[in-house]
Amino acid sequence: MTKKVLLIEIGTEELPSRLLSRTSLHFYNNFIKELNYFNIKYKNIEYFSTPRRLALKIIDLDTKDRFIDVKKRGPSIADAYNINNTPTEAAIRWAKNCGINVHEASHLKTKKGSWLFYHIRKKQENIELLIPKITESALKKISIEKTMRWDINNEKFSRPIRNIVILLDEKIISGKIFNIPSNNFLQNHISSTEKTIKIQNAKEYPSILFEKNNIIADYKVRKEIIIRKIKEKAKKINGFIKINTFLIEEVTALVESPIVFLATFKKKFLAIPKKILVYTIEKQQKCFPIYNSKKNILPYFIFISNINSKCSKKIIIGNEKVMHARLSDAEFFFKDDRKTKLKENLLSLKKVLFQKNLGSLYEKTLRLKLLIKWIAKYSCSNVEDSIRAALLSKCDLVTNVVCAFPELQGIIGMYYALEDQEKKDISIALKEQYLPSFSGDKLPCTPIGCSLSISDKIDTLSGMFYVGNIPSADKDPFALRRLAIGIIRIIIIKNIPLDLKDLVDKSLELHNKKNINYSIISDDIIKFFMARVFNWYQETGYCIKIIKSVLSYKSTNLKDINEKIQAISYFQKTEISKSIILSIKRISNILEKENKKINGCINIKLIKEAEEIILFNQLKKFHNDTKDLFIEKKYKEILLKMTDFDIPIYNFFNKVKIYHSNYEIRLNRLILLQKLKDIFFKIINFSYLY
């Protein structure tokens, strides 16, 4: 029998919870690539992960001997032999590289000629020798941001590797991975007195882990069990759970034998603002708040333990004590903050440094005030309300709650502003100023929120460039790429007619206290932005050729760029677009052959042929029909009107002799073609679409 089950388990110290799922998936994908590279067949691969293990179970692995065909084509026969039929230097070098003499090579004949050819069928390395190499390679190719080194071997991985299991059915595959020899002893639960679990056959995995110590190795199964059990617990008190995907993923990665417990906290803590309460329960304690039918929080929480203890009451009491301490802190900070209004914190920002060379948070706030006043006219937000939002934007950063829980910045500002009877849009903008905070994050909903977010991000980005903190290819410590993408997304998706060049220059003016020429810095920032624009459109799924065709015109008006990309993408899907683009290509090729630039006016008296008269009239009609469309920047309509040129251009090329013997007629026809090219290229550079 050649088809067997292969088990590989990598026992580690506790892996980072936020990286467990991704690390496991990378291991799985890398292993598949390695198997494909060596042409090793299999039916299916299952992958598993817990805090202290990564595992693969390969079903019906084909273990029979495999052969690989090595084929190498050498020099042509004409180049392989001299006049006297002796091998040339090129032929000798090729044969030596193949490990043969020239006369041992065969000949390959094709329609294009004959070549020296080497073909040998080799037996591939035994699969039992390959498996440890494949496994180590798959592990080393996992992309890990921060690695650890351990032992004298100085190996690198996310966490130290302590145990290796490689079983092919019941046979232990001997080998070393990260210099650790393989065996058939699985890592047991961290709380178990017996440190290992002996496994006799790969087929027993993962059921043997559950049978011995309730270890659920399958990440997806473990996750589903946790979700089901927390819902059941909440239902017992007539409550429900709001599924927080990030929290579920984190908890699933923290335990391998999940036990769900219900605990309580004092009702007085329900007076704490909902966001602070949820943040404390979820973010700080990794627990689940419970809601009633009115979506109000109940004085209960659910936590997941990794240990099934006989003294479950002690575990619950211990978690309740910790939760009480955390909520007491939050309650104290909140009450202390509310002794003063949010706006009264503005002058305190003078004592908080924003950046060494860019001043305090108070100075940043004054820059935001000026920026948002200018941006408001483009975003259609109320100017006075926008200025008010800018002045309040950083006031929550000196509150007790934000100092204790930094992730609540903006959220606390919104809550405190609402309690101070600030306008709703102003209050919401304080929260929205930090959106989007990561790739794919939601955008601000309010016009003031959009204006404040752009102001905050461009102030930081331009300031960092101004003082020389520019991102490199592999380092971006101030997350300026994320800030740039945030600005780009807001402007494009919210359809704000804001020119990037104007925005950058306006922001740089506020940093430039020395009154120096900042044009070079401005150009660098624009290049940085446009690289992000290109990447964003590419990741969004737009054709690279279309993106390049639009960006080649160096426009910095993102609204205009977006409308062009949308229009060209639509136009390219129409049936007639290929014909139009081929016509543009033909016109461009004809004009490029001329040694001089074609310019001047069309001489109507020299237009003789019916086909060129029709084309000329179509040109005039297009100018008249699209004059207002160009002003209104309705590019889709303009491109659709370009299709009216298809038949006239075809007939012109088919019936009219461009290179007429009369130089004036010839030049006049070339000018007509140049006028055509000019109107086609008025929107984008079509040469990228040929």
Side-chain angles (χ1 to χ4, degrees), residues 602 604 607 611-621 672:
I602 298 171
I604 300 173
I607 299 177
E611 288 75 19
E612 65 178 324
I613 293 171
I614 291 170
L615 185 57
F616 174 72
N617 288 334
Q618 182 60 45
L619 187 62
K620 288 199 300 181
K621 184 177 184 301
L672 177 59

Side-chain angles (χ1 to χ4, degrees), residues 579-673:
S579 177
I580 291 291
I581 291 170
L582 285 173
S583 295
I584 297 170
K585 181 180 180 181
R586 188 172 181 182
I587 291 169
S588 297
N589 289 341
I590 291 169
L591 293 170
E592 283 172 11
K593 288 178 182 177
E594 299 299 313
N595 293 325
K596 60 180 181 178
K597 188 176 180 181
I598 305 299
N599 51 35
C601 298
I602 298 171
N603 188 339
I604 300 173
K605 294 178 182 179
L606 295 176
I607 299 177
K608 304 294 184 183
E609 304 290 340
E611 288 75 19
E612 65 178 324
I613 293 171
I614 291 170
L615 185 57
F616 174 72
N617 288 334
Q618 182 60 45
L619 187 62
K620 288 199 300 181
K621 184 177 184 301
F622 180 83
H623 275 303
N624 292 330
D625 291 347
T626 61
K627 192 179 293 182
D628 291 336
L629 293 177
F630 271 108
I631 294 170
E632 295 165 10
K633 297 184 177 182
K634 294 183 177 179
Y635 300 117
K636 188 184 291 186
E637 288 88 338
I638 295 169
L639 288 167
L640 291 176
K641 285 193 176 293
M642 282 184 180
T643 61
D644 295 339
F645 282 106
D646 188 43
I647 295 173
I649 289 175
Y650 175 81
N651 291 334
F652 177 81
F653 280 130
N654 205 31
K655 300 286 181 70
V656 178
K657 186 179 180 182
I658 296 170
Y659 294 102
H660 197 275
S661 56
N662 184 312
Y663 175 77
E664 289 184 348
I665 293 175
R666 172 187 170 183
L667 179 62
N668 202 54
R669 288 172 180 172
L670 288 171
I671 291 172
L672 177 59
L673 292 180

Side-chain angles (χ1 to χ4, degrees), residues 398-462:
V398 291
T399 61
N400 290 307
V401 170
V402 173
C403 288
F405 313 133
E407 288 184 42
L408 289 178
Q409 63 179 6
I411 294 171
I412 291 303
M414 179 187 71
Y415 268 96
Y416 290 179
L418 287 170
E419 286 201 357
D420 293 343
Q421 305 300 309
E422 297 285 351
K423 290 182 180 178
K424 187 176 180 181
D425 279 0
I426 293 174
S427 303
I428 293 172
L430 303 187
K431 172 187 170 185
E432 292 186 333
Q433 66 179 301
Y434 298 107
L435 298 178
S437 59
F438 55 86
S439 177
D441 191 17
K442 62 184 179 181
L443 301 180
C445 294
T446 64
I448 299 176
C450 290
S451 300
L452 187 56
S453 179
I454 293 171
S455 301
D456 185 38
K457 289 172 173 59
I458 193 62
D459 177 76
T460 300
L461 194 150
S462 63

Side-chain angles (χ1 to χ4, degrees), residues 109-173:
K109 291 184 179 181
T110 69
K111 293 179 181 179
K112 295 182 179 180
S114 297
W115 286 266
L116 291 179
F117 190 67
Y118 173 67
H119 177 206
I120 189 171
R121 190 171 175 78
K122 283 184 175 181
K123 185 178 179 181
Q124 191 167 286
E125 193 174 4
N126 185 283
I127 195 166
E128 293 185 12
L129 297 174
L130 278 176
I131 288 169
K133 296 177 183 178
I134 287 172
T135 304
E136 184 166 55
S137 177
L139 287 168
K140 286 183 174 179
K141 288 178 181 176
I142 296 173
S143 177
I144 301 171
E145 295 170 5
K146 293 181 180 180
T147 57
M148 291 183 68
R149 297 176 187 268
W150 68 94
D151 295 339
I152 59 171
N153 300 315
N154 211 24
E155 297 289 357
K156 291 194 299 182
F157 196 62
S158 181
R159 289 293 183 270
I161 294 173
R162 298 304 188 195
N163 189 59
I164 303 292
V165 172
I166 308 179
L167 274 184
L168 192 60
D169 279 354
E170 71 284 347
K171 184 179 180 181
I172 301 171
I173 301 300

Side-chain angles (χ1 to χ4, degrees), residues 92 100 162 203 262 272 292 329 351 395 399 437 452 458 485 501 516 518 579 630 639 672 675 687:
I92 293 169
I100 60 172
R162 298 304 188 195
K203 294 174 184 176
L262 179 69
I272 299 171
N292 62 18
D329 288 344
K351 301 174 184 177
C395 288
T399 61
S437 59
L452 187 56
I458 193 62
I485 289 290
K501 175 67 174 170
I516 60 173
Y518 54 76
S579 177
F630 271 108
L639 288 167
L672 177 59
K675 298 294 182 187
S687 65

